[in-house]
Amino acid sequence: MRHLIDPLDFTLGETERLLELAQKIIREPEKYAHLCDGRILATLFYEPSTRTRLSFESAMMRLGGKVLGFASADNSSAAKGESVADTIRMISGYADIAAMRHFKEGAPLVASRYAKIPVINAGDGGHQHPTQTLTDLLTIRLKRGEINGVTIGLCGDLKFGRTVHSLIKSLVRYKGVKFLFISPEELPVPGYILKEVVEPSGHSYREVRTMEEVMPQLDILYMTRVQRERFFNEEDYVRLKDSFILTPEKLNLGKKDLAVMHPLPRVNEISPLVDADERAVYFEQARNGVYVRMALILCLLGLVPGILEEGE
Ligand code: CP
């Protein structure tokens, strides 16, 4: 039995095959419409979500399966003090696969150790968000044809942004990737990611404080929200929240085939005036999340062989 807790739980080969499966599902969804008949997905969300939870649910329903779960810790027995370990033991008897979002880093990993069913990390605190990464990789592939050789600017809260941390971990496995890290001084990529992930990969990177200075170089601009929920005081959040705002004027410094991505939700960091530009792909990116999660559910349930390697 396999889980997906960290983006590196899947080898590069497995990740690539999973993305190919997602592309097949996009082309011929009817072929996959009943593969999960009789199966149940549990969505265990201790922290708010729109895209991740609903795209998991949509994915399972589009595969013919059913869904149960809770959308906040307050609606579950976590409010009475039940541990993640006990909850997943129960859920293992109620569902065939579980997606868990938790405000505490490491909670889905703990769940996977007690589970009798595959567990998927749907975002744990400021740590990792591997299914967003699969969504992002699929979007880059669909836009550029390949991921190798991409120059990507990651912009916003790079310190607490779990989508950024997971994406960097995955992108270093591709060839010729260049990173431009665009953040306020207070919200840089954590030192451990630079030292343990980016630098050993040998990929080039630069940390900059303005979007404008790197915009003409980028193939992908990956915008992120400054996350109020990760700050210890409101004053710091208010000071930093509007550090970067993408406007049509700034976008016009970019290449004609630039793709602007964002895991969403956005607050102020992308002006709605940018939405009509064909380089804005964030809503398409959110839709891709359904296909990639369909592929993931099929693989973890062993319903499409040949994607995940034997014995891992
Ligand atoms: N991208 C993402 O994780 O969005 P939600 O918080 O709405 O799930």
Side-chain angles (χ1 to χ4, degrees):
M1 186 173 67
R2 298 281 296 273
H3 307 282
L4 178 63
I5 305 299
D6 183 286
L8 302 189
D9 286 345
F10 289 174
T11 64
L12 181 57
E14 290 174 331
T15 303
E16 285 287 293
R17 288 193 291 277
L18 191 141
L19 298 178
E20 278 155 24
L21 175 60
Q23 288 183 252
K24 284 185 191 162
I25 296 171
I26 292 173
R27 287 195 292 273
E28 295 184 289
E30 62 288 348
K31 270 197 172 173
Y32 302 86
H34 293 287
L35 291 190
C36 281
D37 284 358
R39 309 285 181 135
I40 298 174
L41 165 76
T43 52
L44 313 175
F45 277 59
Y46 294 80
E47 201 185 48
S49 166
T50 296
R51 271 146 297 277
T52 310
R53 187 170 66 83
L54 297 183
S55 64
F56 262 117
E57 296 190 358
S58 174
M60 191 49 152
M61 289 175 191
R62 284 166 194 262
L63 292 167
K66 293 196 167 69
V67 177
L68 53 77
F70 51 84
S72 82
D74 295 344
N75 289 337
S76 77
S77 283
K80 302 175 202 161
E82 185 167 58
S83 68
V84 160
D86 282 0
T87 300
I88 199 69
R89 284 179 171 120
M90 301 300 116
I91 298 296
S92 294
Y94 303 159
D96 301 293
I97 185 166
M100 176 182 286
R101 169 167 292 187
H102 207 288
F103 47 86
K104 271 197 191 154
E105 288 83 359
L109 175 64
V110 171
S112 71
R113 291 187 174 148
Y114 291 89
K116 300 224 173 333
I117 58 176
V119 174
I120 302 166
N121 178 3
D124 61 328
H127 190 218
Q128 300 290 335
H129 195 345
T131 65
Q132 180 64 49
T133 296
L134 291 172
T135 302
D136 300 340
L137 295 177
L138 177 63
T139 304
I140 297 172
R141 251 175 98 120
L142 291 170
K143 283 287 138 198
R144 299 184 74 248
E146 66 167 339
I147 298 167
N148 292 323
V150 72
T151 297
I152 183 166
L154 296 132
C155 179
D157 173 3
L158 307 187
K159 180 175 180 180
F160 299 113
R162 61 192 174 201
T163 61
V164 166
H165 302 164
S166 287
L167 186 55
I168 294 170
K169 269 182 122 170
S170 277
L171 282 175
V172 294
R173 302 200 289 188
Y174 290 87
K175 294 194 185 99
V177 176
K178 291 189 185 137
F179 294 100
L180 283 314
F181 298 129
I182 312 159
S183 76
E185 213 169 314
E186 295 89 338
L187 299 173
V189 176
Y192 82 91
I193 292 189
L194 292 180
K195 293 270 173 306
E196 293 170 23
V197 180
V198 182
E199 289 172 6
S201 76
H203 290 311
S204 85
Y205 78 90
R206 254 177 78 203
E207 294 182 278
V208 298
R209 303 282 169 243
T210 70
M211 203 187 273
E212 291 86 334
E213 65 192 282
V214 294
M215 194 66 121
Q217 302 171 41
L218 304 179
D219 301 312
I220 303 288
L221 173 62
Y222 193 94
M223 296 295 296
T224 62
R225 173 174 67 98
V226 174
Q227 303 169 91
R228 172 179 247 142
E229 64 272 29
R230 309 275 176 239
F231 278 81
F232 291 109
N233 73 68
E234 180 73 6
E235 205 177 290
D236 284 348
Y237 168 71
V238 170
R239 187 166 49 79
L240 294 170
K241 72 184 173 64
D242 292 330
S243 298
F244 298 100
I245 300 179
L246 181 64
T247 58
E249 294 71 33
K250 287 183 197 161
L251 181 56
N252 284 339
L253 300 171
K255 293 180 187 173
K256 293 265 177 294
D257 62 351
L258 170 71
V260 180
M261 297 172 59
H262 191 312
L264 303 177
R266 75 169 147 188
V267 186
N268 283 331
E269 59 279 4
I270 300 181
S271 158
L273 296 172
V274 168
D275 297 354
D277 192 301
E278 61 182 19
R279 292 172 287 184
V281 304
Y282 27 90
F283 294 118
E284 195 178 322
Q285 180 186 354
R287 195 165 61 246
N288 291 336
V290 175
Y291 304 115
V292 99
R293 290 178 175 104
M294 288 171 80
L296 179 62
I297 290 168
L298 290 173
C299 294
L300 289 177
L301 288 177
L303 297 172
V304 174
I307 309 277
L308 302 185
E309 288 156 16
E310 297 289 322
E312 295 220 5

